Each structure stands twice: as C-alpha cells, then as structure tokens.
Amino acid sequence: MKCLVVDDSATMRRIVLNALKSIGMTNVLEAGDGNEALQVCDGSVELVITDWNMPNMGGLELVRSLRGNPTTSKTPILMVTTRSVQEDILQAVEAGVNGYILKPFTPQVLKEKISQITAVA
Amino acid sequence: MISPAEGPGGPDIKTLAAEIHETMALVDQLVREVKVGAEAHQLQGRLVELATILTKRPDLTILPGLVVRAYSEVTDALGGIQRSREAIQHYSFERLQRSHAKLSEVTNVTESATLELMNGLDRALALIDRVGAMTPDNADAADAIGSLRNEVNELFGHLQFQDITAQQLAGVGSLLEDIEARVKAVLTLFDAGSRRPAAAPTAGLAYNPDASFDDVRGRQAAIDATFATRRGDESGVAP
C-alpha cells in the first residue's frame, strides 16, 4: 500500500515511518506541509496520514483540497494530531477525515486505525 | 491776466491744496498716535488695577509660585516615567527576549538529540535484523528477536515526546512574543505616534499550544465515540 505521511516535524515523520514499517508498510512518501503533499499526492496514493498544525498549509486545508479533487476525493485520510477539542474533531469529520489519532500514539493504535479505514474505503 | 488758480501775491491753489492734504495727513497720524497712547495708557491702567487687586488680595500673589512648583513636579514625574521605562526595557523586555531565545534553543537541542536517538534505534533495528538472519531456524531466538524489535519500536514511539513538547514550547514562545509586543507598546507609550500592539494571530498556527500528554487513552476514546456518532457506524469511516 502506497502511503503519504504529512508532518512538518521531521521527528514525527520518522516515528510514523517506523510505525508503518513495523506493520509492514514500506512504500511511503513524505511531505512537510499541505502544499508539498498536494504536489505528490495523486491517484496512486492509497492512504494519507497527516498532521493538523503545519506551516503554509495545515492538515485541515489539505483534507479539504484532497476531497475537492476527483482524483483524491475517496483516498482514505488519517489525521494524527495533538488536537482533541470536540470542535476540532467535528471540523475534521466535516472536512472528510476518515480516522483520527491522538498523539502520542502506539504502533498498535496506528495499525488498528489503518485497518479500519482502508478496509471500508 | 490772473490765472484762476492763483490770487495776486498769494500761493496758488494747487500748492495750497497740497499743503492742506499734507496737514490732514499729519492730523490723521497724530490721531492714530493719540489712540495708541490711550490704549497703552489703558493697559497701564489695567496693570495698575491688577496690582491694586493683588495688593488687596495677598493670597493671589502665590499663583506664580504655584505654577513653578507644578512645573517642577511634572518634570519630576516625567523623570520617574523615564526611569520606569528604562527599568522595563532592561529587566522585562530584554529578559523576555532572552527567555524566548532559550526556549528556541531547548527545542532545537531536543530535536537534535531525538534525531540522534532515532539514528541509534535505526542501527539497533538493523542489527536485530542481522541477528535474525543468522538464526533462521531457532524459534527461541526468533521470539527473543521479535520481542527486542517490538521494544525498539516502542522506544521510537516514545520519542513523540519531542514533537509534543516542541508544540508546547512554541505555544509558550508565542505567548512571550505577545507579552514582548505589549511591553514594547508600554515603552513607546510616551513616544509620538505610539500604537496599540496588534493582537497575536491565532489562526493557522504551525503548532498546537494545547498539546498535552494527559489522558491520551481517554481522549482517544472520546474521539472514537465522536467519530462513531457522526459517521453513524462503529467503523469511523466516511459513508
């Protein structure tokens, strides 16, 4: 499965990459913000894992852009963030996020969420 | 024949008219001077009148002294404001800036250290893979190697602390920036054209100032419940 990890923190990208590797996902692209993500995300990407708070273009805006593009409108999107206020969750749902993981997470939680959203999508 | 403008033995009419005109101009000038003199006299009279009042009202003679004292006190107050301003500049503003710089330094140092730790963990994982390849038929060794790999992966996950603390520090840094701007506004309060500090931007932040390690499991459960409710099923997936 081809996956795109979007986070402005190089540390977090490596952590997510390691977690994905530990569950057998090795075909992974990286982007440092929403703008970079839009440049690399095409129809071949089967899963997007994105942070919320990023410079230039944040995760929520990225999700809206992806959902507005017919090529990526159905791509499963997992938001991985520190934001846990109810209003934020509802905004993410409205934008079209398929799953939502709170940082810090374990590889097990990541695996479960990926299984959930990719099985249905 | 005598010209109508001149009589016999006297000045001619033209000369007489000129003299009369000159005389009238002199009279006009005299009248103006008399008026000015009268006004000056009037002013002098008023001054005398005021002096008389002051003589009769000795309490009013303190007025000039009061003005001088007030001026002196205002000057002292302005000096105090200047000293306060210097103290704020020295102790608050510069200290805030130093604190802000320190926070950035802490973030950079922890990020570097975390990346070094990750490099070490990557090397450890490579070694684990090598050891695993050396003992393909040993079930006990495979179990131990699997457990070791899980431990290292767990350690990777714990390094998320760096991202979360970096966001928290960014939040504090932003707060310090806001306070700096306000202190600066106080410092320029008595300068010409001083302005109110602009409100700190809150939208589109590259960090979450509320990032926390508290009760992650409980909050994740609440998020899952919200997703389930909003999506209308238990999968948390868009319909």
Side-chain angles (χ1 to χ4, degrees):
Chain A
M1 177 184 286
K2 190 174 177 182
C3 178
L4 171 62
V5 176
V6 192
D7 201 308
D8 57 320
S9 160
T11 313
M12 272 314 297
R13 289 202 303 273
R14 273 184 78 170
I15 289 167
V16 175
L17 254 65
N18 174 265
L20 291 172
K21 196 177 165 191
S22 74
I23 57 175
M25 294 177 68
T26 52
N27 189 6
V28 182
L29 300 173
E30 291 181 55
D33 61 36
N35 284 331
E36 277 184 32
L38 288 177
Q39 285 171 17
V40 296
C41 193
D42 53 26
S44 69
V45 173
E46 296 160 278
L47 172 66
V48 175
I49 298 175
T50 184
D51 183 23
W52 184 312
N53 293 100
M54 292 182 289
N56 306 318
M57 185 192 279
L60 200 65
E61 205 180 337
L62 169 65
V63 173
R64 288 178 181 141
S65 292
L66 292 173
R67 289 295 175 246
N69 181 346
T71 316
T72 54
S73 63
K74 302 286 181 193
T75 306
I77 302 175
L78 186 56
M79 184 76 89
V80 180
T81 177
T82 54
R83 302 176 77 105
S84 61
V85 179
Q86 178 79 354
E87 192 186 329
D88 292 338
I89 317 302
L90 296 178
Q91 262 191 299
V93 174
E94 293 302 321
V97 164
N98 301 101
Y100 198 104
I101 294 180
L102 208 54
K103 292 176 185 175
F105 61 90
T106 62
Q108 188 56 35
V109 169
L110 184 67
K111 187 180 179 179
E112 285 169 13
K113 287 289 170 206
I114 290 173
S115 298
Q116 279 179 9
I117 69 174
T118 54
V120 178
Chain B
M1 188 176 165
I2 297 171
S3 155
E6 64 180 280
D12 62 78
I13 293 173
K14 255 187 175 175
T15 309
L16 188 63
E19 281 175 0
I20 290 170
H21 189 260
E22 198 179 330
T23 306
M24 287 304 289
L26 284 170
V27 170
D28 281 346
Q29 192 183 335
L30 187 64
V31 168
R32 280 199 299 274
E33 281 175 4
V34 168
K35 269 188 182 173
V36 169
E39 279 169 10
H41 179 73
Q42 223 173 4
L43 184 65
Q44 198 178 15
R46 279 181 195 158
L47 284 171
V48 171
E49 197 180 343
L50 183 64
T52 311
I53 291 169
L54 285 173
T55 315
K56 288 177 185 169
R57 294 277 307 276
D59 52 325
L60 292 180
T61 56
I62 61 167
L63 270 175
L66 271 177
V67 171
V68 170
R69 243 179 68 196
Y71 178 78
S72 168
E73 282 174 14
V74 167
T75 306
D76 283 351
L78 286 173
I81 289 167
Q82 179 62 26
R83 284 191 294 279
S84 303
R85 180 184 160 148
E86 283 165 7
I88 291 169
Q89 170 84 28
H90 183 68
Y91 293 106
S92 306
F93 187 63
E94 288 169 12
R95 201 170 279 186
L96 280 171
Q97 283 188 322
R98 279 202 300 276
S99 304
H100 195 187
K102 276 276 170 206
L103 284 180
S104 300
E105 191 186 327
V106 169
T107 303
N108 292 337
V109 167
T110 53
E111 188 172 15
S112 299
T114 305
L115 288 171
E116 285 300 321
L117 281 170
M118 286 178 170
N119 291 339
L121 292 175
D122 270 339
R123 287 193 295 273
L125 283 171
L127 283 172
I128 290 168
D129 288 343
R130 266 179 66 189
V131 172
M134 287 175 197
T135 56
D137 302 324
N138 188 329
D140 287 344
D143 271 359
I145 286 165
S147 299
L148 192 55
R149 189 180 285 111
N150 287 341
E151 287 292 336
V152 174
N153 285 332
E154 287 284 322
L155 286 176
F156 247 106
H158 289 310
L159 294 178
Q160 288 174 79
F161 88 91
Q162 194 276 326
D163 178 62
I164 294 166
T165 52
Q167 292 192 54
Q168 290 169 333
L169 291 178
V172 176
S174 170
L175 191 67
L176 286 178
E177 262 179 18
D178 189 38
I179 295 169
E180 271 175 39
R182 280 161 203 275
V183 170
K184 204 170 181 179
V186 170
L187 291 176
T188 57
L189 203 58
F190 295 94
D191 290 346
S194 62
R195 294 184 203 93
R196 287 173 64 84
T202 53
L205 294 176
Y207 59 88
N208 175 19
D210 301 320
S212 168
F213 293 100
D214 292 342
D215 189 26
V216 176
R217 208 171 279 187
R219 286 186 292 141
Q220 181 67 56
I223 289 166
D224 291 345
T226 302
F227 257 74
T229 308
R230 298 291 293 191
R231 294 293 188 190
D233 62 33
E234 288 299 317
S235 66
V237 176

